[in-house]
């Protein structure tokens, strides 16, 4: 007996593991946590934004992460990246330093780093990128992102697909594009999965309701008739009087009067009737007005799944999601009322305990019966599809979760980066600018795209020096610029300004031109003093005014390294934006242009610098979507998320 | 120091450039206060340090727990049980030693953080997890005229609200939901849902045995009788309570382990057998109830006539509760061990858990008899006790039992909290703070983070203050005085003196200068909701303020009996240098104006379009504030206590059933948790507890 005092407590108390994750287990349960812990994530780019993203993935406990980057830490990083050690990290590999500091947040997470150029690695070992469960590419060059996207998109089953998140940020704005080929989500966590079938009751429920008498004179009994029973009876009564048709919202008042007519005069304890009236919207009108689950119907989104080719043609490679969708279709076909399986959940309501338990049993028994039928059908589906293991191939918990959420499934079928660029959804773009309520954020996408084109042509980002740009992206601009080929009118200018004697670019400071130590070392005038703002940068433009415009461009580019000029950059960027605007089908004479132009100016002004509130917020947004994808719970954004810190808005677009 | 390579100018070079020199130097020179070093607080502190804020004070009274580490990233395992504020400061300072951070391991409601304290800041940021502290800080900011940025998260949801007195709504301009309450008889004798049993275990049984003596118990029962509850039943409850006190004594004054265990068994026999049997003997009660409770027999459960059954149920000895307590994650423990608290216990196990946890708590209670225990969700013994005792009660009443994991959520009002949401909200907090420091109030936004797939953030222009707000529509006056040397009457007298001329340099030390209150005005005075005087109650007028509990940091409210003038709140600052009868008001130029009360408006009612049900606005009665003469009837000390009738909770419940309630962007606090199932049975969580 000596060991008993702790036995029960120790066997029922949570482990340290679940204590640590307690607050999140209540969001995605142990199934979601297990998926998270199995994941291995690749983060490309060791910078302040990626450190925030990784922090938000390490804390909830992903399986492992790997940071890929060959850059070293420089002083400007220290100011914005919380996961570098002052006085220690400087000059070392950013990927290594970040990996080791971030790993201290959670010893359950495996951390790795790879000091290699992402571009080089993509060219030499594409298979490396396919070995992760998720890839997050942070502030990488557009052509790298596109090549990576092409690579990951080409993965075919049975190899698991690798979703790709591509993030860009500049000052107060940021965006994320999500490449998901296909993601079937079962646990979408709708507001409620309660399905009372009031307007389409099953026989056992009808029988249960019949055992009550609304005209009883016993006040205690009367005030404890559950609202479900009140509504079932009143709906029957209404239908009997109205030729079998249920009440519509138009006849709401009359129906409420009908309900109230059964209240017991003088009985003040009739909250069950209040509950019945309060439940009308949720459990009667809404189910009736649509193919809402609560009416025993099949929502249109689920019917779409039934028609999908993947549901139609099954094979041994079919995912569990599709096997179960097919079983669901067969279940509905076999159901006398053509209904989905019942969830069996019941809301709290005023009633006697025994009545409540009785009612609960009616719903539960039906739900259990439906689950058994579904499982049997699923077994047959699996066998027919040639799935190894047949009916036992799918875990019982997974089946249960699927049946519970059968009315709320969500299929995300995304687009690749190439599709988005070559065949953008121009209607979505038009809608983006028409939102009457929310501030429009889409213009920033155009600015980011234009900025990419600018970069290809000028070997730097608008508003920032080449040194800064090169370090931001950490790559050899000469190679990129030439191999990709700039537009013909600029020919080989792409990398023209790159000086030979600059030494190892990785050692260069990641600072904007006006602070670059390097330039001072080179004996060049720094243009403006440290701490200048845009106005001062604009001033330097004045010096350029004497130059001719186009024919001098080449010469200008030579100087751009030292003196990016605000107005000139805005002009050049606007030129790049033209083709983007055209490809997205945006009319050039509307208000859109003003928004776009403002955004372009902001892009130049901020020069792709990192601002802590933006990286913090975006780090949260990116990790949140990553978690939804990894856990296959909740519905992730699809597929372009744009944050605007100036208007304090965040929009989601399907481009 | 360690970051000599990074000259301070360069550290925040990006922020300086993007924000502009003007705003950036404001950040460097401004003083900000962060209230709360939890989920949002950690993120916020990091952001402030990175963005270039120069002076930060942070307050938190909490210590670090293992369950914080999934999001409060400034803390690590070695910091468990240490002060959140101090560790947060340490970690953040290490990153940038040039930022001045001052940490207070303290309660923000402590008198030392009075108006004088708040006034030294340019901006206050709330990163709190409870309504009470939020309201307090809101009131202090309104009183001190310091801008506040309020924030909160729940799971994937969150919001940020900039507040400045006079320009925007304050935190209390919109009504906040009140916690759900249950009628005393439902809890004490006729539970029908698991939450009834959990409330019984946590607020009644736990307190009876280990908690603070509940002086209100008798009053509650009186009130229940007055409200028409069955008098015989109530009488029965009184008897139960008396016996309980005896049991408590025997539990706490134990002399050996065996005796203690037998006392715990006595408790079991009483609450699960004798009390139930007595209830059953009241035939009247069960006439209309088809299911009667079934008493539990200790001996039969522990040593059943057929012993093989019991053996089969014996719990396996887990790898180590001690390990778990120390917060060690055993390398061998897989994630499956995380399910330990999600399994259902057998009846015998529940009984054993009841006895064990009672013994454990009794030992702690007897170790320091003057300090009653209070339920805390992170206290494993307390949670074991509540889980076991509520499930045993569920057994008695044939109610569905809950796992320990579920009980913890229901009893502890646990709000899911994750790093990502906190990161988003803390980022937005800084954005709003920048608007505030710029003075760009028209640009500031009430920002709401939702789970929608089309827009995650919605931002709304800040609404102007509500004219009938009980907090920001009142007058606040800091007064310096010696609380031992000034009577309540003298204070009122000073207020009624004419105001000093603005030009005439009054020194404000109680000379001629008053507040200019109409001398004819009939006033009553309060400290929070405690009545100190009114025209018919003058016992306290000649007492010194210290005698009636008005000391440094307290707020003395002066209420116009006719309701024409808004309440005047005197913020007491003790100053020993002040003489007999001296009341130091602010100098003439800084003396606030007396405000008129908003015209009385009819209680707003809104009709639900969809189902025609009238929902009344949640009332503001739970505000710890003096009533105004136009609002509700006055109650003397003690009167306002007692059990709130169920109607209160019912209103909330109906509001939640209200179709649009969940989607109102300006009422994020009314959002319900999106749990897995039985969402609607969790109204008890309507209390906004945000991280």
């Amino acid at each position: 007996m000596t060991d008993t005092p702790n036995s029960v407590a120790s066997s029922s108390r949570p482990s340290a593991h679940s204590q640590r994750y307690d607050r999140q287990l209540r969001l995605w349960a142990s199934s979601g946590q297990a998926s998270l812990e199995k994941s291995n994530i690749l983060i490309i780019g060791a910078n302040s934004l990626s450190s925030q993203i990784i922090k938000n993935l390490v804390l909830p406990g992903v399986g492992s992460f790997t940071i890929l980057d060959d850059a070293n830490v420089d002083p400007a990083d220290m100011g914005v990246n919380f996961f570098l050690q002052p006085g220690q990290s400087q000059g070392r590999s950013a990927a290594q330093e970040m990996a080791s500091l971030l790993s201290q947040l959670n010893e359950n997470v495996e951390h790795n780093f790879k000091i290699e150029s992402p571009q080089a690695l993509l060219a030499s070992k594409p298979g490396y990128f396919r070995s992760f469960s998720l890839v997050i590419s942070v502030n990488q060059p557009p052509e790298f992102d596109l090549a990576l996207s092409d690579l990951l998109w080409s993965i075919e089953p049975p190899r698991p697909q690798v979703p790709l998140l591509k993030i860009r940020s500049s000052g107060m704005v940021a965006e994320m594009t999500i490449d998901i080929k296909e993601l079937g989500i079962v646990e979408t966590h709708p507001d409620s999965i309660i399905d009372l079938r009031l307007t389409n009751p099953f026989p056992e429920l009808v029988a249960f309701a019949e055992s009550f008498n609304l005209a009883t004179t016993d006040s205690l009994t009367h005030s404890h008739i559950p609202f479900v029973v009140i509504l079932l009876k009143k709906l029957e009564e209404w239908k009997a009087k109205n030729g079998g048709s249920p009440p519509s919202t138009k006849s709401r008042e009359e129906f409420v009067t009908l309900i109230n007519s059964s209240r017991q005069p003088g009985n003040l304890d009739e909250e069950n009737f209040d509950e019945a009236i309060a439940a009308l919207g949720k459990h009667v009108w809404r189910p009736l007005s649509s193919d809402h689950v609560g009416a025993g119907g099949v929502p249109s989104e689920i019917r779409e799944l039934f028609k999908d080719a993947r549901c139609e043609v099954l094979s041994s490679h079919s995912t569990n999601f599709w096997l179960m969708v097919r079983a669901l279709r067969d279940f509905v076909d076999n159901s006398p009322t053509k209904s989905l399986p019942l969830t069996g959940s019941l809301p709290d309501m005023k009633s006697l305990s025994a009545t409540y338990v009785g009612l609960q049993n009616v719903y539960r028994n039906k739900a259990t019966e439906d689950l058994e039928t579904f499982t049997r059908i699923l077994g047959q589906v699996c066998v027919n599809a040639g799935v190894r293991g047949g009916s036992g191939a799918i875990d019982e918990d997974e089946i249960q979760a699927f049946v519970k959420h059968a009315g709320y499934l969500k299929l995300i079928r995304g687009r690749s980066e190439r599709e988005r660029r070559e065949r953008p959804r121009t209607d979505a773009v038009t809608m983006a600018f028409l939102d009457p309520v929310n501030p429009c954020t889409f213009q920033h996408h155009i600015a980011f795209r234009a900025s990419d084109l600018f970069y290809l042509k000028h070997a730097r980002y608008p508003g920032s020096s080449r040194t800064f740009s090169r370090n931001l992206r950490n790559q050899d601009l000469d190679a990129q610029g030439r191999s990709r080929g700039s537009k013909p009118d600029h020919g080989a200018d792409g990398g023209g300004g790159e000086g030979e004697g600059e030494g190892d670019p990785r050692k260069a400071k990641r600072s904007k031109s006006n602070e670059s130590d390097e330039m001072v070392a080179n004996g060049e005038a720094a243009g403006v003093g440290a701490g200048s703002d845009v106005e001062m940068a604009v001033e330097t433009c004045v010096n350029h005014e004497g130059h001719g415009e186009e024919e001098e461009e080449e010469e200008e580019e030579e100087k751009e390294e030292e003196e990016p000029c605000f107005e000139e950059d805005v002009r050049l960027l606007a030129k790049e934006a033209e083709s983007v605007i055209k490809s997205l089908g945006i009319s050039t004479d509307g208000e859109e242009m003003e928004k776009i132009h403002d955004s372009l100016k902001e892009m130049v002004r901020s020069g792709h610098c990192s601002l802590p509130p933006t990286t913090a917020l975006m780090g949260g947004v990116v990790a949140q979507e990553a978690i939804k994808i990894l856990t296959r719970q909740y519905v992730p954004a699809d597929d372009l998320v744009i944050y605007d810190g100036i208007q304090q808005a965040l929009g989601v677009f399907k481009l | 120091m360690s970051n000599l390579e990074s000259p301070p100018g360069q550290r925040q070079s990006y922020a300086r450039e993007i924000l502009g020199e003007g705003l950036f130097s404001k950040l460097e020179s401004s003083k900000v206060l962060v209230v709360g070093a939890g989920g949002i607080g950690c993120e916020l502190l990091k952001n402030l340090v990175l963005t270039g804020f120069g002076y930060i004070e942070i307050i938190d009274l909490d210590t670090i727990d293992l369950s914080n580490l999934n999001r409060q990233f400034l803390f690590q395992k070695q910091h468990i049980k240490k002060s959140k504020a101090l560790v947060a400061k340490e970690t953040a300072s290490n990153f940038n030693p040039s930022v001045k951070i001052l940490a207070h391991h303290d309660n923000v409601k402590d008198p030392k953080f009075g108006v004088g304290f708040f006034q030294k800041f340019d901006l206050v940021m709330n990163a709190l997890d409870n309504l009470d502290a939020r309201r307090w800080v809101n009131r202090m900011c309104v009183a001190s005229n310091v801008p506040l940025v309020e924030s909160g998260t729940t799971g994937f949801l969150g919001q940020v609200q900039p507040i400045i007195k006079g320009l925007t709504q304050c935190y209390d301009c919109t009504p906040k939901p009140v916690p759900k309450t249950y009628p005393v008889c439902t809890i004490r004798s006729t539970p029908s849902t698991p939450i009834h049993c959990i409330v019984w275990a946590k607020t009644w049984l736990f307190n009876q045995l280990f908690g603070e003596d509940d002086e209100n118990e008798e009053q509650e029962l009186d009130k229940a009788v007055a409200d028409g509850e069955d008098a015989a039943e109530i009488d029965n409850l009184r008897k139960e309570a008396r016996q309980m006190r005896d049991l408590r004594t025997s539990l706490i004054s134990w002399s050996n382990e065996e005796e203690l265990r037998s006392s715990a068994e006595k408790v079991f026999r009483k609450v699960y057998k004798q009390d139930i049997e007595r209830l059953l003997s009241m035939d009247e009660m069960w006439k209309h109830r088809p299911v009667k409770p079934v008493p539990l027999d200790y001996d039969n459960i522990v040593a059943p006539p057929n012993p093989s059954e019991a053996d089969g149920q014996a719990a396996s000895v887990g790898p180590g509760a001690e390990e778990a307590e120390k917060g060690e994650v055993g390398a061998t423990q897989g994630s499956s061990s995380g399910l330990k608290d999600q399994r259902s216990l057998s009846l015998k196990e529940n009984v054993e858990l009841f006895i064990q946890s009672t013994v454990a708590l009794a030992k702690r209670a007897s170790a320091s008899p003057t300090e009653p225990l209070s339920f805390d969700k992170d206290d494993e013994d307390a949670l074991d006790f509540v889980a076991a005792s509520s499930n045993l009660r569920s057994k008695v009443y044939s109610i569905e039992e809950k796992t320990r994991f579920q009980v913890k959520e229901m009893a502890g009002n646990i709000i899911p909290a994750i790093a990502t949401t906190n990161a988003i909200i803390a980022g937005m907090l800084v954005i709003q703070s920048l608007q505030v420091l710029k003075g760009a109030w028209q640009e500031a936004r009430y920002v709401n983070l939702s789970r929608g797939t089309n827009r995650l953030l919605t931002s709304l222009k800040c609404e102007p203050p509500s004219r009938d707000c009980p907090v920001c529509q009142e007058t606040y006056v800091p007064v310096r005085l010696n609380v031992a040397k000034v009577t309540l009457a003298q204070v009122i007298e000073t207020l009624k003196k004419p105001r000093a001329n603005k030009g005439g340099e009054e020194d404000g030390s109680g000379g001629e200068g008053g507040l200019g209150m109409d001398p004819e005005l009939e006033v009553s005075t309060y400290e929070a909701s405690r009545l100190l005087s009114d025209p018919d109650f003058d016992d306290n007028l000649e007492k010194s303020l210290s005698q009636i509990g008005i000391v440094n940091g307290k707020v003395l409210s002066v209420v116009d009996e006719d309701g024409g003038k808004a309440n005047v709140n005197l913020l007491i600052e003790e100053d020993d240098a002040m003489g007999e009868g001296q009341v130091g008001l602010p100098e003439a130029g800084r003396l606030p104006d007396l405000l008129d009360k908003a015209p009385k408006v009819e209680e707003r009612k809104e009709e639900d379009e969809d189902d025609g049900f009238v929902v009344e606005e949640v009332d503001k009665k739970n505000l710890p504030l003096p009533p105004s003469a136009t609002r509700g009837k006055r109650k003397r000390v003690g009167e306002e206590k007692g059990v709130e009738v169920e109607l209160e909770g019912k209103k909330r419940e109906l509001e939640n059933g209200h179709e649009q309630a969940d989607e109102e962007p300006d009422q994020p606090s009314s959002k319900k948790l999106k749990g897995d199932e039985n969402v609607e049975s969790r109204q008890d969580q309507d209390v906004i507890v945000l991280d």
Side-chain angles (χ1 to χ4, degrees), chain B residues 413-475:
Chain B
N413 277 334
I414 288 185
I415 301 300
I418 44 174
T420 50
T421 309
N422 289 336
I424 296 170
I425 289 302
M428 191 41 79
L429 239 165
V430 176
I431 298 281
Q432 294 308 323
S433 300
L434 295 176
Q435 308 284 27
V436 171
L437 286 175
K438 264 196 289 188
W441 282 100
Q442 65 291 351
E443 303 296 323
R445 293 286 182 275
Y446 183 127
V447 182
N448 214 349
L449 173 68
S450 63
R451 247 184 67 194
T453 44
N454 293 328
R455 52 194 145 96
L456 299 169
L457 288 176
T458 41
S459 47
L460 305 163
K461 284 208 159 125
C462 298
E463 299 265 332
S466 308
R467 277 297 278 131
D468 59 348
C469 175
V471 174
C472 71
Q473 296 301 301
E474 300 192 344
T475 306

Side-chain angles (χ1 to χ4, degrees), chain B residues 200-214 248 372-375 385:
Chain B
W200 172 84
K202 171 191 149 187
T203 61
W204 189 77
L205 188 61
F206 184 91
N207 281 329
Q208 286 290 320
L209 295 177
F210 314 109
E212 199 134 9
D213 261 333
D214 189 1
R248 179 186 174 120
L373 304 179
S374 60
F375 174 78
F385 177 82

Side-chain angles (χ1 to χ4, degrees), chain B residues 532-545:
Chain B
L532 301 170
S533 75
D534 69 23
D536 308 320
F537 171 57
D538 56 8
D539 300 12
N540 290 332
L541 284 177
E542 299 307 323
K543 289 183 186 160
S544 72
L545 296 188

Side-chain angles (χ1 to χ4, degrees), chain B residues 119-138:
Chain B
Q119 270 170 341
K120 73 179 184 195
F121 295 102
D122 299 288
L123 174 71
V124 176
M125 286 168 261
N126 262 356
L128 284 161
D129 66 353
N130 69 86
L131 186 68
D132 190 45
R134 280 196 170 92
R135 285 192 147 148
W136 177 264
V137 176
N138 175 56

Side-chain angles (χ1 to χ4, degrees), chain A residues 468-485:
Chain A
F468 173 81
S469 303
R470 180 182 51 233
N471 283 283
L472 184 70
R473 285 299 160 84
N474 180 43
Q475 55 154 359
D476 186 333
L477 285 175
D478 279 326
Q480 287 297 333
R482 293 202 176 111
S483 65
R484 281 282 155 186

